[in-house]
Amino acid sequence: KDFVVFHDELDLDPGRLKVKIGGGHAGHNGLRSIQAHLGPDFRRIRLGIGHPGAKERVTGWVLGNFAKVDRDWLVPLLDDIAAAAPKLVERDDVGFMNLVSGVKPAAEAKPEKPRAAAAAQPAAPTETAKNAMAETLRRLLAARKR
């Protein structure tokens, strides 16, 4: 109950996020390993990455880099997750989801950009995109120390 696991989810559209408690690993090797140590009843944040369309492309899709176009939704999503993380510490999963997927006024709303076409090769990420998660976690941990 004290762990929150963030993981990629093929069955969610890119940029979608869901909180779940328990469940199977569905072939996800990282979840399989965590379940071997903790059991299945931990909180998880499922981060949608979409599906490449063909089963034989899944491994490359999951282990490959995001395309440049994905930065448009990925970086803001990671920033929102970092800002809402205190709700996870408070065990307020609904509050976390509300903050991350908060309704923005129409003037501020940005259209979601889909993941690059499955046939396209992902572009090499910039240094900023590569380190977006690390930067977000650093900000989160720095805010927690205050």
Side-chain angles (χ1 to χ4, degrees):
K1 69 180 182 181
D2 293 329
F3 288 91
V4 179
V5 174
F6 290 80
H7 68 87
D8 55 350
E9 179 62 60
L10 287 167
D11 295 330
L12 289 176
D13 289 335
R16 296 278 318 238
L17 178 131
K18 288 192 178 182
V19 177
K20 180 179 181 179
I21 298 175
H25 58 71
H28 192 293
N29 290 330
L31 291 178
R32 180 181 286 128
S33 176
I34 292 167
Q35 284 182 354
H37 295 283
L38 300 178
D41 297 325
F42 53 89
R43 289 188 306 157
R44 50 181 89 180
I45 309 300
R46 301 166 60 208
L47 300 167
I49 61 168
H51 197 285
K55 186 176 181 179
E56 59 273 2
R57 298 195 66 220
V58 166
T59 300
W61 185 260
V62 169
L63 298 178
N65 292 324
F66 283 98
K68 278 186 178 182
V69 69
D70 291 325
R71 286 184 289 173
D72 293 343
W73 60 265
L74 183 61
V75 173
L77 176 65
L78 294 175
D79 288 340
D80 288 349
I81 289 170
K87 294 290 184 187
L88 292 174
V89 174
E90 297 165 6
R91 296 186 187 347
D92 181 3
D93 295 343
V94 172
F96 171 78
M97 287 294 297
N98 287 340
L99 287 174
V100 171
S101 61
V103 178
K104 297 180 182 177
E108 292 181 35
K110 295 179 184 175
E112 185 176 304
K113 294 205 176 185
R115 190 169 178 117
Q121 291 292 325
T126 65
E127 198 60 33
T128 301
K130 255 194 243 180
N131 294 319
M133 179 64 97
E135 290 172 11
T136 301
L137 290 173
R138 271 195 293 277
R139 283 194 305 256
L140 172 65
L141 294 172
R144 191 171 180 207
K145 288 180 184 178
R146 287 184 213 156

